[in-house]
Amino acid sequence: MTSGSFAGMAASSPATGSVTAIPRAAVRSQGSTAQLPQDHPLLTGLTADSALLNQYRGGRNSAGEITRPHRRPVWFMRQAGRSLPEYRALREGTTMLDSCLDPALASEITLQPVRRHDVDAAIFFSDIVIPLRLAGIDVEIQPGVGPVLGSPVRTRADVEALPTLDDAAFAPITEAVRRTVAELGSTPLIGFAGAPFTLAAYMVEGKPSRDHLGPRTMMHADPDTWNALAAWAAEVSGRFMRAQLMAGASAAQLFDSWAGSLGREDYARHVLSHSAEAFTHVQDLGGTTPAGHRVTAPLIHFGTGTGEILDLLRVAGADVVGVDYRLNLAEATRRVGAETPLQGNIDPALLPADWPVLEKHVRAVIAAGSGAAGHVLNLGHGVPPETDPEVLTRVVSLIHEIGYED
Ligand code: CP3
């Protein structure tokens, strides 16, 4: 574990909050340089020059040259899910986590929104708590509630009793990813995992919570237990992402959905190093294309309400920063630097608005993102279940129509 050094660096100037001085290269250099399999879609040439990867690379092709992609890339967080009638039909009678662990079902659900909306990426249908289930922890997703654990993890003894996760347990994930990429062709699959804070927040509370008081108390009152828990979460999430990338995903996103409940100092001191540790499992994972160019799978880091820590999301080891709907993308670029590609941030609240209102907003998001080296359109959080899927399809075609002419 390398966590301690980051906590130390972040702590060195708590009054000024000058944690941005942590060199990203220091995080990078700990990364694995492991090779993806040679038949991986990123290395066969299928996805390396997709519009999505071009923008994640800051507007560069696989040879490293600045190029415009053939269209403006867009995908939606939670594009696979309850907004689609075909999803509701397939899921009938199967619990959420059982669906995730049925390779044929998970693969089909992942493909549904790609077929329907013509989005530029598939997001793997799974859940951030799947590694807990695979490790043998009693966890369920209760409809309309979210993840619920049989026994919350609150004491040092609870953390010490956490099971180890065997690599063989990822078999249904690997199988689902393989089936999915075989169908996707040149559309990249994005893998993902929950960041240590968001995952540990569910583990400590045992259920969804508004303020995340449990984990925030623990990191101050019992930092050793907190660090042990967050390190466990970083490891299972890092390996979950790695399993998806090795099996065929071309990019991976770390979701720190609840990081916005932390102040900047708490994030820097108690969380950043653990998220960096999760990323080390997938850092610089790549290989050589048929044309002889070295390519790696881009890493995206997203959370909600993270305006105050946006630069730290990048410092943790991501190539791309996902921005929620609260922060204008031009301001996001000011905070993370023009060289950082961005993802986001159409406000999900505008999806039911009259089309001219929504269209104006989408155009404004594109304009605000134009100062970043790359920009992948997305929502500023997931698709609300009540969304009319036809509106999403229309947003995708608008974005593709706008292109790069203006
Ligand atoms: O297209 C996609 O993004 C699908 C893949 C996906 C799911 N969960 C499927 C899902 C992804 C990337 C996630 C990640 C996830 N899971 C996060 C991070 C993203 C975010 O939204 O902030 C979080 C916090 C979770 C935990 C979780 N799982 C919650 C809070 C819920 C909602 C509970 C509810 O019913 O309101 C889930 C369940 C879940 N995960 C659903 C889906 C499609 C809905 C369950 C269903 O359809 O029955």
Side-chain angles (χ1 to χ4, degrees):
M1 290 289 150
T2 48
S3 321
S5 57
F6 289 104
M9 291 165 92
S12 61
S13 51
T16 59
S18 64
V19 286
T20 47
I22 297 169
R24 184 161 167 274
V27 178
R28 281 253 157 207
S29 66
Q30 302 161 9
S32 82
T33 49
Q35 180 77 22
L36 292 171
Q38 210 51 51
D39 63 352
H40 190 287
L42 192 57
L43 304 189
T44 58
L46 268 177
T47 62
D49 282 304
S50 58
L52 183 88
L53 265 68
N54 171 294
Q55 290 300 289
Y56 280 164
R57 240 182 249 126
R60 290 177 187 274
N61 64 17
S62 56
E65 301 151 349
I66 305 241
T67 49
R68 292 283 204 211
H70 70 285
R71 64 186 195 184
R72 222 177 249 284
V74 53
W75 66 278
F76 303 114
M77 292 182 280
R78 293 278 175 91
Q79 66 190 16
R82 284 171 293 183
S83 65
L84 301 184
E86 59 270 35
Y87 167 83
R88 296 194 296 265
L90 260 189
R91 273 286 322 283
E92 191 120 2
T94 314
T95 67
M96 172 65 195
L97 295 184
D98 286 346
S99 309
C100 296
L101 296 175
D102 175 335
L105 198 52
S107 174
E108 177 58 22
I109 293 173
T110 303
L111 294 165
Q112 284 179 338
V114 181
R115 294 193 195 109
R116 184 191 260 266
H117 301 308
D118 191 26
V119 278
D120 296 278
I123 173 84
F124 184 52
F125 178 77
S126 197
D127 199 84
I128 61 168
V129 297
I130 279 290
L132 307 190
R133 167 63 77 89
L134 293 177
I137 291 173
D138 172 11
V139 58
E140 270 306 339
I141 300 228
Q142 289 189 5
V145 178
V148 176
L149 273 78
S151 324
V153 181
R154 295 191 177 147
T155 65
R156 182 76 198 189
D158 293 342
V159 173
E160 276 165 8
L162 285 171
T164 53
L165 174 53
D166 197 72
D167 260 335
F170 288 119
I173 302 304
T174 301
E175 170 65 15
V177 169
R178 287 208 182 108
R179 282 170 181 254
T180 307
V181 297
E183 297 289 322
L184 278 171
S186 58
T187 302
L189 175 69
I190 301 174
F192 74 94
F197 175 73
T198 291
L199 196 57
Y202 284 112
M203 294 172 77
V204 175
E205 301 279 357
K207 59 182 185 341
S209 83
R210 211 184 136 82
D211 303 315
H212 313 292
L213 292 177
R216 293 197 294 114
T217 301
M218 188 193 276
M219 63 180 69
H220 288 275
D222 189 357
D224 288 349
T225 298
W226 167 254
N227 283 323
L229 173 59
W232 187 91
E235 195 197 322
V236 299
S237 277
R239 287 169 58 206
F240 182 43
M241 277 193 289
R242 187 181 171 87
Q244 295 165 64
L245 286 168
M246 291 301 282
S250 292
Q253 175 159 323
L254 195 64
F255 281 91
D256 210 348
S257 301
W258 314 136
S261 72
L262 294 161
R264 185 175 172 86
E265 283 311 314
D266 278 351
Y267 185 83
R269 197 185 286 260
H270 301 291
V271 173
L272 171 62
S273 64
H274 297 293
S275 295
E277 184 63 29
F279 274 129
T280 61
H281 291 262
V282 289
Q283 210 100 67
D284 295 322
L285 207 49
T288 308
T289 63
H293 303 296
R294 164 93 193 158
V295 288
T296 56
L299 304 175
I300 311 116
H301 202 174
F302 169 79
T304 65
T306 52
E308 293 306 309
I309 57 169
L310 212 60
D311 55 325
L312 301 183
L313 295 189
R314 159 94 161 155
V315 165
D319 302 295
V320 179
V321 172
V323 183
D324 89 344
Y325 60 87
R326 294 169 180 87
L327 193 68
N328 181 283
L329 291 184
E331 176 57 19
T333 287
R334 205 188 61 70
R335 295 183 191 189
V336 297
E339 72 288 355
T340 305
L342 297 179
Q343 179 171 279
N345 69 347
I346 298 166
D347 188 343
L350 272 73
L351 293 174
D354 287 342
W355 177 251
V357 174
L358 178 55
E359 175 174 352
K360 190 169 168 224
H361 173 63
V362 171
R363 289 181 184 275
V365 169
I366 289 173
S370 64
H375 178 204
V376 171
L377 275 288
N378 204 313
L379 295 176
H381 201 174
V383 175
E386 58 279 7
T387 303
D388 174 357
E390 285 176 20
V391 171
L392 293 179
T393 308
R394 197 169 175 192
V395 169
V396 172
S397 53
L398 170 68
I399 291 163
H400 288 161
E401 251 169 60
I402 294 172
Y404 288 97
E405 264 62 72
D406 45 342

